Amino acid sequence: MRETINLENNTYALGLTSEVVYLQKPYWCNLTERQLKLSLIRPRHYFSYDKKACWPLLIFLCGGAFQKMDRNVHMPELTYFAERGYVVANVEYSVLPYTEFPEPLEEIKAAIRFLRAHGEKFGIQKEKVVIMGESAGGYLAALVAATNGDPQYETGNYLEESSAVQLAVPFYPPTNLALMEKPSNLRVRTDNFPDVCSLVTENTVPMYMIHGTADDQVPFAQSIRLYDKLQEKGVEKSQLTLIEGANHADALCYKPEIKQRILEFLSRNL
């Protein structure tokens, strides 16, 4: 069969950039250097007929009990947001026992500054930055948002840029590790990780939390307490969606209906 069709020219060709070094930090007795990287899904800006655009930035943080992470593992799910008008950055951060708090938080903020500094190159709207993460990454996403503007966590390069985010979307986040039973496989120090709720103020940006009611690793009460604290402080645009019967990192948390709810939250509040 041969055919000729007409299509509306209102779409973008997306590309993956997977080896962007955003930070080099001292390693192994300060004798070596370790690269921290991020991956980007963004519109192609190469051919003359490509649409030139700057999109809001969505940063995603993988979980892994603070002991392991892979910045690319959730990339297939996040394509949903890239197809709907976001530059998506998946950011690597250091994990225990090879680091100590607050290094992961400082690294993520350095990544945000790096991305803002290269906003024109990557097609980013610098004034619209969302941080999203799951599990341990959800904790860090909430912590990044709750420490907006706190200079004690600003270290490294591009300090002239802001590391502030405008919204946060934590999936099934621990919010106070001291209130949780420590998993038997977690053999590292976590007592110096702060309670996110203790850092929430009336100036904290809105958050949208997603949590399953059958989560056997991070009780959904952890998200409820953060939601309640946000409401108490007047951050009324915050939302919490509890998914009946969903376990930790359950596929139910990534169904199109949930992604659509997130997209609507972002559209309303960015």
Side-chain angles (χ1 to χ4, degrees):
M1 182 180 73
R2 172 177 171 173
E3 62 179 348
T4 301
I5 62 174
N6 289 317
L7 297 174
E8 291 186 21
N9 189 18
N10 59 358
T11 59
Y12 302 86
L14 298 177
L16 170 64
T17 309
S18 62
E19 295 293 322
V20 181
V21 176
Y22 76 85
L23 184 65
Q24 280 205 167
K25 59 183 299 181
Y27 198 60
W28 202 85
C29 301
N30 290 340
L31 290 174
T32 60
E33 293 283 324
R34 178 170 180 263
Q35 294 182 336
L36 290 177
K37 299 179 180 180
L38 57 84
S39 301
L40 287 164
I41 311 173
R42 58 193 176 103
R44 187 184 64 195
H45 292 167
Y46 182 75
F47 296 106
S48 61
Y49 46 82
D50 280 334
K51 288 180 174 292
K52 303 300 188 293
C54 286
W55 290 0
L57 173 64
L58 191 158
I59 296 171
F60 190 86
L61 307 174
C62 173
F66 304 101
Q67 298 178 108
K68 54 187 176 182
M69 66 91 62
D70 186 320
R71 70 181 187 278
N72 292 322
V73 72
H74 289 281
M75 195 78 78
E77 295 289 351
L78 297 169
T79 303
Y80 176 95
F81 298 99
E83 290 173 339
R84 288 158 178 80
Y86 288 83
V87 173
V88 177
N90 293 260
V91 172
E92 177 184 13
Y93 58 87
S94 297
V95 293
L96 304 169
Y98 306 106
T99 189
E100 289 189 4
F101 187 84
E103 284 182 72
L105 178 60
E106 294 169 345
E107 293 164 0
I108 296 161
K109 288 178 179 283
I112 297 170
R113 297 195 308 270
F114 171 90
L115 287 162
R116 276 203 169 98
H118 296 85
E120 183 176 355
K121 174 182 177 182
F122 295 138
I124 292 168
Q125 292 181 4
K126 296 168 62 172
E127 71 280 5
K128 295 182 178 181
V129 178
V130 180
I131 188 101
M132 180 186 293
E134 55 97 26
S135 196
Y139 168 84
L140 291 169
L143 196 59
V144 167
T147 56
N148 264 354
D150 190 333
Q152 69 175 307
Y153 301 115
E154 304 290 344
T155 63
N157 302 325
Y158 304 106
L159 292 174
E160 70 280 3
E161 298 285 352
S162 171
S163 68
V165 298
Q166 281 63 60
L167 298 170
V169 185
F171 284 72
Y172 36 90
T175 56
N176 185 342
L177 298 176
L179 298 178
M180 294 172 51
E181 182 178 349
K182 191 172 183 178
S184 59
N185 64 342
L186 190 60
R187 296 180 293 275
V188 291
R189 180 185 179 192
T190 57
D191 62 307
N192 59 343
F193 282 60
D195 176 4
V196 177
C197 295
S198 69
L199 301 170
V200 171
T201 72
E202 62 276 5
N203 296 318
T204 299
V205 300
M207 302 190 198
Y208 182 17
M209 288 147 284
I210 296 97
H211 217 128
T213 62
D215 194 321
D216 60 7
Q217 296 185 45
V218 178
F220 68 90
Q222 292 273 309
S223 283
I224 290 176
R225 64 187 300 275
L226 178 54
Y227 174 78
D228 288 347
K229 177 59 70 172
L230 288 162
Q231 296 300 308
E232 176 189 320
K233 293 296 184 178
V235 192
E236 297 176 354
K237 293 181 180 179
S238 295
Q239 292 180 225
L240 169 61
T241 294
L242 298 176
I243 304 175
E244 189 67 36
N247 207 325
H248 194 73
D250 201 307
L252 291 171
C253 297
Y254 297 94
K255 287 182 72 67
E257 296 91 327
I258 297 299
K259 292 175 184 172
Q260 180 62 34
R261 287 173 179 267
I262 294 171
L263 202 62
E264 290 170 357
F265 171 79
L266 301 183
S267 298
R268 280 195 306 272
N269 295 300
L270 264 188

